[in-house]
Amino acid sequence: MIHLDRELEQLKKSTTAMWILVQSQIEKAYKALAANDKDLAREVIANEKRVNSMELKIDSDCEDLFALYSPVASDLRTVLATLKINTNLERIGDLAEGICKHILSEENAFDKELLKASDIQEMYDVVIEIMKDVLQAYIKEDTKLARTIFKKDEILNEINMLATKNITEYIGSDISKIEAGLNFLSIIRKLERVGDQITNIAEEIIFSHEAKVLKHL
């Protein structure tokens, strides 16, 4: 079983590397939005191929572990959790790419009034904070830290609801703002979905180490 331990450790390193890349994608997407940096947005879109490649490699590694070692108990939970974490990370990468496509679809920078009304800075700050916290929970196998994410995700949900209301009012004030407002609303919703994916990852960390399934509770 020494070989299995080594393979599991390598799997964790690969997942951590993918996590860091995906977090970088989210951070760059915000920088591109705030600065209207379309070249940076294109970089994020191009890097999505790396994210997809890493996802396929981790999936393949998990399949090999099942086939070669038939893991049981906590080792089995680790591989199962990794498969789901891998999927969640890939989806976060997709969301970062989607945000950048919205940036490229706008000829001009988004109105600063729109950025302020949506509290997008606070939303991004929370997203990055919980991504970092859940990564530490994953690396340190800290289920207590993983549980702190659920409360923070509620903050994202609250910002999302308020932003929807404020953006609707922004659009209603001037018909010429409809396209930009709808594009920006899509960005806000993608950020809220990032929070959902991170919450899913926190649940998998708890499942892996405590054998507790939190979904649908």
Side-chain angles (χ1 to χ4, degrees):
M1 291 284 89
I2 292 175
H3 293 297
L4 175 57
D5 290 340
R6 289 175 180 168
E7 293 297 329
L8 289 173
E9 185 60 31
Q10 182 56 50
L11 185 64
K12 188 171 185 177
K13 288 180 181 178
S14 298
T15 304
T16 301
M18 181 177 177
W19 201 314
I20 292 170
L21 173 59
V22 168
Q23 183 174 308
S24 172
Q25 289 283 88
I26 289 292
E27 290 173 342
K28 287 179 179 178
Y30 177 66
K31 289 177 182 176
L33 175 65
N36 192 36
D37 188 336
K38 297 191 184 302
D39 286 338
L40 186 56
R42 292 186 184 96
E43 179 185 325
V44 171
I45 292 170
N47 273 341
E48 177 60 15
K49 293 179 182 178
R50 289 180 57 203
V51 175
N52 293 338
S53 177
M54 294 177 85
E55 183 212 12
L56 292 174
K57 177 65 167 59
I58 291 170
D59 271 353
S60 177
D61 289 345
C62 289
E63 291 169 3
D64 289 346
L65 281 168
F66 283 130
L68 295 174
Y69 299 104
S70 300
V72 296
S74 63
D75 292 336
L76 175 59
R77 293 197 307 273
T78 295
V79 181
L80 290 172
T82 299
L83 278 169
K84 292 183 180 180
I85 290 170
N86 187 38
T87 298
N88 290 131
L89 288 174
E90 192 277 333
R91 287 174 179 167
I92 294 172
D94 285 344
L95 292 167
E97 178 188 32
I99 289 169
C100 287
K101 285 182 177 178
H102 284 300
I103 295 169
L104 292 180
S105 72
E106 287 293 313
E107 183 177 352
N108 301 312
F110 285 106
D111 189 347
K112 292 187 183 300
E113 179 187 340
L114 188 56
L115 271 69
K116 184 178 180 181
S118 65
D119 282 333
I120 195 167
Q121 172 73 64
E122 182 183 358
M123 201 169 192
Y124 255 104
D125 289 345
V126 174
V127 164
I128 296 303
E129 179 183 352
I130 62 176
M131 280 202 78
K132 290 178 178 178
D133 285 348
V134 179
L135 176 56
Q136 288 306 306
Y138 175 71
I139 292 171
K140 297 177 181 179
E141 302 178 359
D142 186 343
T143 56
K144 183 178 180 181
L145 178 57
R147 281 186 166 86
T148 66
I149 303 310
F150 305 133
K151 180 64 176 177
K152 292 177 181 178
D153 184 53
E154 291 177 7
I155 298 173
L156 288 179
N157 294 335
E158 291 170 3
I159 296 172
N160 177 52
M161 287 189 292
L162 183 59
T164 299
K165 175 179 177 293
N166 290 341
I167 292 171
T168 300
E169 292 175 356
Y170 173 86
I171 293 172
S173 68
D174 185 344
I175 194 170
S176 67
K177 298 177 178 179
I178 289 178
E179 184 176 350
L182 291 176
N183 261 330
F184 202 80
L185 185 58
S186 294
I187 290 174
I188 292 292
R189 288 176 175 168
K190 283 179 171 57
L191 276 177
E192 193 272 334
R193 286 168 58 196
V194 170
D196 292 341
Q197 300 300 324
I198 299 170
T199 299
N200 291 343
I201 293 173
E203 290 174 350
E204 293 305 323
I205 293 169
I206 293 167
F207 164 73
S208 177
H209 299 293
E210 297 182 3
K212 293 180 179 178
V213 179
L214 302 184
K215 288 186 181 296
H216 311 305
L217 292 181

